[in-house]
Amino acid sequence: RQQFSFPSIFIYGHTSSGKTYVMQTLLTTLQLPHVFVNCVEYFTSRLLLEEILIQLQSCSSDPAQTSPVHCDTLNDFVRLFKQAVASRELQDQTLYIVSNFILVSYRAEQLREMEANILPAFLRLQELTDRNVTVILLSEIVWELFRPSVGCFEPFTMYFPDYSIGHLQKILSQNHPSEYSADFYAAYINILLGVFYMVCRDLKELRHLAALNFAKYCEPVVRGEANERDTRKLWKNIEPHLKKAMQTVYLREVS
């Protein structure tokens, strides 16, 4: 914790590739002081800077001591940030600010509508505050689409690849209902991925589709017309429903 970290890290990859989950788990497990902010929710520079300062205050042992924060300019933010770090005795530890900059690409204009100095300031916040702070930016967009024209410190970039079909099979199979065997549910997930993997790699959407169609897959077993190993009958029963769901992936019309 006492060693200086890289000033800024840019992590990018498609949706549901584990970026946010990995960072939250890592920082929580290691009990590192950190702040999580969402730049879509806090869509102006003032809201964003004030939210960082408010969360920084709550890092204290007594959250009741938090007070309202007013931050109008970047200079105010740097001054209040240094005061907050000093008052919380964090100046000798690396503080991590994790920012979900853009969740989907069409919201990129939201960040660009902020003052032009916000992103460059975040990238070199360690230098501006003279504090041990690392800014981590999570995005679905490559860094080249974010790079400011002037005053930019290049972050360390890291790519999160999509889950492979084997990874998705393992993750989704963990959610099997207790009344059915793990092998039976794994066979169902294998059928589901065989249909949807080429058009949808989103883990959240695949989990939704798995929960939505599992009851229909089990109907022959419930009626006593087939057993758990009779995959041919089970497939014939579920095939038309999966084809119908294929036409409305992401639209949530089949429910």
Side-chain angles (χ1 to χ4, degrees), residues 8-9 16 20 63 66 121 123 138 175 200 220 230 242:
S8 53
I9 301 172
S16 298
T20 302
T66 58
L123 296 174
L138 306 180
N175 299 326
C200 177
D230 198 347
L242 294 183

Side-chain angles (χ1 to χ4, degrees), residues 39-139:
C39 290
V40 175
E41 182 178 356
Y42 302 99
F43 52 89
T44 68
S45 57
R46 178 174 179 175
L47 289 174
L48 183 64
L49 299 178
E50 288 181 352
E51 176 61 19
I52 293 173
L53 294 171
I54 289 171
Q55 289 194 38
L56 187 56
Q57 281 188 354
S58 66
C59 289
S60 66
S61 56
D62 185 8
Q65 293 180 356
T66 58
S67 58
V69 175
H70 300 285
C71 179
D72 295 319
T73 67
L74 188 60
N75 287 336
D76 291 339
F77 173 75
V78 172
R79 175 177 55 82
L80 294 171
F81 184 91
K82 294 170 74 172
Q83 291 178 1
V85 170
S87 63
R88 303 305 176 220
E89 299 180 352
L90 295 172
Q91 61 265 35
D92 294 329
Q93 302 181 38
T94 302
L95 174 69
Y96 294 89
I97 299 179
V98 185
S99 171
N100 294 305
F101 252 59
I102 294 297
L103 300 183
V104 288
S105 60
Y106 66 85
R107 295 180 183 173
E109 293 81 6
Q110 196 72 47
L111 177 62
R112 294 168 184 172
E113 288 176 2
M114 296 184 187
E115 286 81 350
N117 61 348
I118 293 297
L119 181 57
F122 275 165
L123 296 174
R124 56 198 323 144
L125 190 60
Q126 189 179 100
E127 175 187 341
L128 292 174
T129 61
D130 194 27
R131 294 294 186 270
N132 203 359
V133 56
T134 292
V135 176
I136 302 173
L137 311 179
L138 306 180
S139 174

Side-chain angles (χ1 to χ4, degrees), residues 157-181:
T157 58
M158 183 183 300
Y159 174 62
F160 268 49
D162 290 339
Y163 290 121
S164 68
I165 191 169
H167 292 150
L168 291 172
Q169 171 79 25
K170 285 185 177 181
I171 295 171
L172 294 171
S173 296
Q174 293 175 357
N175 299 326
H176 72 89
S178 57
E179 60 268 27
Y180 293 98
S181 67

Side-chain angles (χ1 to χ4, degrees), residues 167-226:
H167 292 150
L168 291 172
Q169 171 79 25
K170 285 185 177 181
I171 295 171
L172 294 171
S173 296
Q174 293 175 357
N175 299 326
H176 72 89
S178 57
E179 60 268 27
Y180 293 98
S181 67
D183 291 340
F184 176 68
Y185 193 75
Y188 163 68
I189 293 298
N190 192 44
I191 291 174
L192 188 84
L193 290 175
V195 174
F196 289 103
Y197 183 73
M198 295 305 295
V199 297
C200 177
R201 310 284 174 93
D202 188 323
L203 176 61
K204 294 177 183 177
E205 186 70 20
L206 289 170
R207 184 175 284 141
H208 169 74
L209 291 168
L212 194 65
N213 294 285
F214 184 61
K216 184 61 64 175
Y217 180 75
C218 297
E219 278 185 354
V221 178
V222 174
R223 294 196 298 258
E225 299 173 357

